[in-house]
Amino acid sequence: METKEEKKKGNFWLTVATFIVSKRKAIMILFVFAIIYSVLSMNKVQVNQDITSYLSEETETRKGLNIMEEEFVTYGSARVMVANITYPEAEKLVDKIEDIKGVKSVAFDDTKDHYVGSNALYDVTVDGADEDPESIAAIRGIREELADYDLYISTTVGAVADSAEMLNREMNIILVLAVVVIIGVLLVSTKAYLEIPVLLITFGVAALLNMGTNYWFGEISFVTNSIAVVLQLALAIDYAIIFCDRFMEEHAVLDSEEAVTVALSKAIPEISSSSLTTIAGLVALMLMQFRLGFDMGIVLVKAILFSLISVFFLMPGILLIFAKGIDRTHHKCFVPNITFVGKFAAKTKYIIPPIFLVIVVLAFIGSNNCHYVFDVNSAEGSKKSDSRIEVEKVESVFGKSNQLVVLVPAGDYEKEKHTLNQLESLPFVKSALGLANQEITEDYVLTDKLTPRQFAEMTNLDAEIARVLYSAYAYHAEQYGPVVTGIDDYGVPLIDMVLFLYDQYQEGYVTLDEETDEMLTTLYDTLHDAQIQLQGENYTRFVLSIDKPVEGQETYDAMEEVRAAAEQYYGKGNVLLAGNSTSAHDLETSFATDNLIISVVTALFVMIILFFTFQSAGLPVLLVLTIQGSIWINFTIPAVQGQAVYFIAYLIVSAIQMGATIDYAIVITSRYTQLKTEMPIEKAIVETLNQAFPTIFTSGSIMTCAGFLIGNISTDVTVSSMGTVLGRGTLTSIILVLFVLPQILLAGDRLIEKTALTMNITRAQKDVAGRVRISGHVRGYVQGEIDADVQGAFQGQMKVSVDTVLPGRQGQITEEEGGTGE
């Protein structure tokens, strides 16, 4: 008999496992400290709610947004619609809205832009930015003031905080339901009731460690923050299940501690290799130009690593704590055999593969014809939030509001005036806002040049004071010519002179009567607001309202017309556009590249891993084709249904689906390649499916349910669309792995054998007759085929080779009395 010491000496992983099990108490103490650290660190995680911040810094949208953040103030705004109201009643509400604290201005008139049928629309501007407390309070005040009316508000004010709060509530519900689903699945698939708390504790610790260390990255996206826990659960819980199943197998013949040790030694390499394909898909995500992929990829890679650490180091100790309870709570595994699926595979091995090949080609074409959208407001989720319903109600009556910002170099009011006139003449431009077309009186716009006399008349200043003021302005601007040649014909833009006069008045250089003081203060407030919104240090901003959808080729063509109009005065390369339409265009431009990167890199990484796993060149191609086919089918379904798919869902889910569900194909293929050496391939595939189905059922049902729960509960379109696509994709992969892959393996058996790499040198087979004693791994024929570890005596005839596989022993056949051997 082989001693324990001999086994440990000959098996590296057994040595590692023995160390982990023997030090389990110390390891558990370290985990307690890690859990405390993670719980205390969770609140340090900064969550980024702005998807556009993940655009490449080289994109036009990102450049434009950076400039606007640095040089301009953008006040929050809202489209407030009151339904079922007469026009006179609607007019009276203007004063009520204006009196609400935090409301800056209200625009309303009798045009179709503000009153249609019995619906009134108020364009409200608030005193702060979208997420400022005073802005949020103003919108809340409007809701309270107009609570008795049929009120609908379309606004981005407070939207980030509201959506984050809603998403957190929804994800908590989803997580609870996911745990319920997992418990239900485990009750069916496990062999002892107390396996379930072991699995849940292990996963819970891994999830805590991952959430508590997300602050290491500074900030993470709201998409990653909301969905990472559920994805970690779906992707990694099968690692704990694999280890638990190994323990149950070993515990049938070994005591608890030895069973945990041996099971861990076998589980470490198996689980580690299984995790590689998932990690490969996530690494592919990290290579995307759109950096949301990197954000999600790196957090989920960390999640997988913490799951592995929890399974390898914490779970052995937990298993031993629950070992007696597990022994007392054994029950029947309720996952049925699926013999009929194996028999169906054997009968259709030459029928299903060609049909599948045709379907794959059609699915490839269909997925390429799927309509992808790049603006979140264009995407459809399974469930709409209250704010989304309000937005759609306003848009159904008054149309969509699509604003496009044009940034041009500052400093030339004449160019600005001509450019705005040119932009306003474009047929799809509903309005164009800029300093050079904002009327301050019936006669003047903000950038008109006024002489001292004209300025005095407009402001009721004394003419001499105005001349002195203009002279002071000329000295201040270092324009000495007008002072020498005569100040009366010196023209200064109205906005510049009002701001200069106000500064001089504040510093005490100019004295004004009470009436002029009030007029100047009001004028200054108006001009200052316009300036900080429309004029920066280096750039001037034009705000256009265009009669085009947010995305689509007609919109992109219109954007190029806008650019061309501005470049007539500012030259090529000096005009930047920004807005939802430019964001959608930039995302669409990067989509093709990111799609190629994810598809190629994921498939390549997975094929390399499979190549070394199975030592075959043909087998990886067949497995990847099966899962890639499921991805194409997944995105053909919405194409056939005429539904649009949010591009983020495609990019992220296609990588996750390939990396995670290829494991199902690996489970079946591994068992099949082993079993076909022991029995005919038709029987091997039947037995393979019966053995593999519990694993696929457990892992696949959890991921499928998690995806559909996210898709049907979350009101956030980004998260919801990812969940729906993930659930449908996982289900598609399971169907193909069970009902197509077996036929492919059977039909392609000869191809697999021919492309297999014989990495090991085969020992020569010897004829043996009589009684012999065997010690080693036997491969050959004994009135049939044998491939097994044998230690004992044999009586009869055989043609076999014996390899050295048992640690510390030389594989051999020893002649006994009446026998011949070697």
Side-chain angles (χ1 to χ4, degrees):
M1 287 290 293
E2 203 171 11
T3 66
K4 292 182 182 179
E5 292 302 318
E6 286 176 315
K7 286 185 179 180
K8 292 175 183 176
K9 184 177 179 181
N11 189 326
F12 170 75
W13 292 117
L14 192 59
T15 304
V16 171
T18 302
F19 174 80
I20 293 172
V21 173
S22 65
K23 304 296 182 182
R24 61 184 181 276
K25 292 182 180 179
I27 290 172
M28 292 181 78
I29 292 172
L30 292 177
F31 268 96
V32 170
F33 284 115
I35 290 168
I36 294 171
Y37 168 82
S38 297
V39 171
L40 295 177
S41 300
M42 273 193 251
N43 290 331
K44 296 180 182 179
V45 179
Q46 299 296 315
V47 180
N48 187 347
Q49 301 285 342
D50 182 12
I51 286 288
T52 61
S53 65
Y54 293 97
L55 285 166
S56 167
E57 291 295 328
E58 301 304 312
T59 59
E60 184 176 28
T61 301
R62 189 68 258 156
K63 290 177 181 177
L65 291 175
N66 288 341
I67 290 170
M68 288 195 289
E69 289 171 6
E70 293 169 4
E71 298 197 12
F72 299 95
V73 171
T74 303
Y75 290 117
S77 62
R79 302 174 83 197
V80 179
M81 187 180 90
V82 177
N84 303 314
I85 189 172
T86 65
Y87 183 76
E89 289 176 318
E91 277 189 307
K92 294 177 183 178
L93 291 183
V94 173
D95 292 336
K96 283 189 176 183
I97 298 173
E98 285 180 332
D99 291 340
I100 294 171
K101 185 178 180 181
V103 172
K104 189 175 203 55
S105 64
V106 180
F108 178 76
D109 54 38
D110 60 354
T111 66
K112 65 179 181 180
D113 290 336
H114 292 108
Y115 192 80
V116 173
S118 59
N119 302 290
L121 181 68
Y122 306 91
D123 288 320
V124 178
T125 302
V126 295
D127 279 328
D130 281 347
E131 296 307 316
D132 288 349
E134 59 266 29
S135 301
I136 297 172
I139 298 301
R140 190 181 300 116
I142 293 173
R143 290 193 182 277
E144 292 172 357
E145 183 67 34
L146 305 182
D148 295 333
Y149 295 87
D150 292 336
L151 181 67
Y152 305 92
I153 300 179
S154 171
T155 183
T156 55
V157 174
V160 170
D162 290 344
S163 62
E165 183 181 351
M166 176 66 74
L167 190 56
N168 285 335
R169 287 202 302 267
E170 291 170 349
M171 293 311 298
N172 287 335
I173 294 171
I174 290 168
L175 189 57
V176 170
L177 292 176
V179 171
V180 171
V181 168
I182 289 172
I183 292 174
V185 171
L186 294 178
L187 283 172
V188 172
S189 61
T190 55
K191 298 175 182 178
Y193 292 118
L194 281 187
E195 285 184 73
I196 296 173
V198 172
L199 298 172
L200 293 180
I201 291 171
T202 303
F203 170 75
V205 170
L208 280 175
L209 295 179
N210 193 49
M211 290 188 292
T213 53
N214 282 335
Y215 86 95
W216 292 352
F217 303 130
E219 67 175 20
I220 62 174
S221 73
F222 76 95
V223 178
T224 303
N225 185 62
S226 61
I227 207 171
V229 175
V230 180
L231 283 183
Q232 181 183 1
L233 183 153
L235 292 171
I237 197 169
D238 54 334
Y239 303 154
I241 292 171
I242 290 172
F243 181 25
C244 205
D245 287 347
R246 283 286 187 185
F247 166 74
M248 297 297 284
E249 290 174 12
E250 300 297 335
H251 194 33
V253 294
L254 300 173
D255 63 57
S256 298
E257 184 167 339
E258 191 171 3
V260 168
T261 304
V262 175
L264 182 60
S265 70
K266 294 179 178 180
I268 290 176
E270 181 180 352
I271 294 171
S272 299
S273 61
S274 174
S275 69
L276 287 178
T277 55
T278 304
I279 292 174
L282 299 175
V283 169
L285 272 183
M286 294 166 63
L287 300 177
M288 285 170 54
Q289 290 181 339
F290 185 46
R291 303 308 289 166
L292 181 65
F294 180 87
D295 178 81
M296 178 164 282
I298 196 168
V299 170
L300 288 178
V301 166
K302 180 163 65 69
I304 298 299
L305 294 178
F306 275 124
S307 296
L308 293 175
I309 290 170
S310 298
V311 169
F312 295 157
F313 293 94
L314 177 64
M315 192 171 169
I318 299 175
L319 274 172
L320 288 175
I321 291 173
F322 282 85
K324 291 183 179 179
I326 291 173
D327 291 341
R328 290 195 300 266
T329 58
H330 274 269
H331 66 82
K332 179 184 176 183
C333 178
F334 299 105
V335 179
N337 285 335
I338 53 171
T339 303
F340 71 96
V341 178
K343 291 181 177 179
F344 172 77
K347 291 179 181 179
T348 58
K349 62 182 177 181
Y350 296 120
I351 300 173
I352 295 298
I355 293 175
F356 174 66
L357 192 59
V358 173
I359 292 174
V360 165
V361 173
L362 294 176
F364 172 74
I365 297 171
S367 64
N368 284 334
N369 289 325
C370 183
H371 177 53
Y372 298 100
V373 293
F374 301 88
D375 180 73
V376 69
N377 296 311
S378 302
E380 291 288 341
S382 300
K383 187 178 178 183
K384 294 178 181 178
S385 64
D386 292 340
S387 61
R388 183 68 181 266
I389 292 171
E390 286 191 271
V391 169
E392 291 181 355
K393 182 67 174 178
V394 173
E395 291 178 346
S396 68
V397 179
F398 291 96
K400 293 186 177 182
S401 175
N402 186 9
Q403 288 191 335
L404 181 66
V405 171
V406 183
L407 296 169
V408 297
D412 193 326
Y413 291 137
E414 282 300 312
K415 282 186 179 180
E416 291 177 25
K417 183 176 182 179
H418 292 310
T419 303
L420 281 168
N421 289 338
Q422 188 76 14
L423 293 174
E424 285 181 315
S425 68
L426 296 174
F428 52 82
V429 175
K430 296 163 62 177
S431 65
L433 175 65
L435 285 179
N437 69 352
Q438 292 304 291
E439 293 184 355
I440 197 67
T441 68
E442 292 183 0
D443 300 317
Y444 302 117
V445 297
L446 289 179
T447 57
D448 281 345
K449 289 184 177 181
L450 275 63
T451 63
R453 181 181 61 79
Q454 292 171 319
F455 186 74
E457 290 174 352
M458 194 199 82
T459 58
N460 294 322
L461 276 180
D462 181 80
E464 284 303 314
I465 293 177
R467 295 179 81 252
V468 172
L469 183 66
Y470 267 62
S471 296
Y473 180 89
Y475 277 113
H476 179 77
E478 298 182 354
Q479 298 174 359
Y480 306 114
V483 179
V484 176
T485 59
I487 203 71
D488 289 334
D489 295 325
Y490 180 38
V492 176
L494 173 59
I495 185 172
D496 294 347
M497 184 51 67
V498 170
L499 297 175
F500 180 74
L501 171 59
Y502 187 81
D503 288 341
Q504 299 303 303
Y505 175 60
Q506 291 296 108
E507 292 177 11
Y509 297 124
V510 178
T511 303
L512 302 174
D513 57 40
E514 185 176 338
E515 182 180 348
T516 307
D517 171 44
E518 184 178 345
M519 183 275 298
L520 178 62
T521 301
T522 302
L523 192 59
Y524 170 80
D525 289 341
T526 302
L527 268 60
H528 180 67
D529 278 347
Q531 184 187 43
I532 61 176
Q533 291 182 81
L534 300 173
Q535 186 180 57
E537 182 178 351
N538 301 300
Y539 286 88
T540 291
R541 175 164 67 170
F542 305 143
V543 181
L544 310 184
S545 177
I546 62 174
D547 187 19
K548 294 290 182 184
V550 173
E551 60 182 299
Q553 194 55 50
E554 63 171 324
T555 303
Y556 305 148
D557 291 341
M559 285 163 48
E560 291 309 308
E561 288 188 57
V562 168
R563 190 192 311 279
E567 286 180 345
Q568 290 181 28
Y569 301 96
Y570 291 95
K572 285 189 175 295
N574 293 319
V575 178
L576 285 174
L577 305 182
N580 289 340
S581 292
T582 63
S583 174
H585 186 252
D586 288 335
L587 291 171
E588 185 170 348
T589 301
S590 67
F591 175 69
T593 303
D594 286 339
N595 185 20
L596 183 64
I597 289 173
I598 286 178
S599 299
V600 173
V601 172
T602 305
L604 185 62
F605 282 175
V606 169
M607 287 181 71
I608 291 172
I609 293 168
L610 296 179
F611 175 80
F612 286 103
T613 300
F614 293 107
Q615 300 287 294
S616 169
L619 195 52
V621 176
L622 298 178
L623 300 188
V624 169
L625 179 64
T626 304
I627 302 303
Q628 185 61 60
S630 73
I631 294 172
W632 288 333
I633 292 171
N634 188 15
F635 291 98
T636 296
I637 293 172
V640 172
Q641 294 174 335
Q643 297 176 349
V645 175
Y646 193 35
F647 81 105
I648 291 177
Y650 176 83
L651 292 175
I652 291 177
V653 172
S654 59
I656 291 175
Q657 187 179 343
M658 171 62 79
T661 62
I662 194 74
D663 280 353
Y664 309 154
I666 293 173
V667 168
I668 287 178
T669 306
S670 298
R671 292 181 185 270
Y672 171 71
T673 52
Q674 176 185 348
L675 290 172
K676 74 175 185 176
T677 63
E678 305 171 12
M679 60 187 74
I681 59 174
E682 286 80 4
K683 290 184 178 179
I685 205 67
V686 172
E687 185 60 26
T688 292
L689 292 172
N690 284 334
Q691 292 182 16
F693 183 61
T695 302
I696 296 172
F697 167 78
T698 305
S699 178
S701 60
I702 289 172
M703 186 177 288
T704 301
C705 291
F708 284 130
L709 283 172
I710 293 169
N712 288 285
I713 293 177
S714 178
T715 56
D716 185 278
V717 174
T718 305
V719 174
S720 172
S721 57
M722 284 177 54
T724 300
V725 173
L726 179 62
R728 188 176 63 220
T730 305
L731 183 59
T732 306
S733 294
I734 293 171
I735 292 171
L736 292 188
V737 163
L738 292 177
F739 293 95
V740 175
L741 180 61
Q743 287 89 329
I744 292 176
L745 292 175
L746 291 174
D749 190 71
R750 183 168 296 182
L751 172 66
I752 296 169
E753 291 294 333
K754 285 184 175 293
T755 58
L757 304 182
T758 50
M759 303 295 287
N760 300 316
I761 299 174
T762 304
R763 291 172 61 91
Q765 292 189 329
K766 300 293 183 181
D767 287 319
V768 181
R771 182 176 178 81
V772 292
R773 180 164 292 278
I774 304 169
S775 175
H777 184 85
V778 178
R779 182 179 178 87
Y781 293 89
V782 186
Q783 294 183 342
E785 186 176 349
I786 185 172
D787 186 0
D789 293 330
V790 176
Q791 190 169 12
F794 174 78
Q795 176 73 41
Q797 291 185 335
M798 66 175 76
K799 183 177 183 180
V800 296
S801 63
V802 182
D803 299 317
T804 304
V805 297
L806 297 178
R809 296 291 183 91
Q810 177 68 37
Q812 57 187 346
I813 300 176
T814 306
E815 179 182 352
E816 293 196 348
E817 183 181 40
T820 60
E822 178 178 320

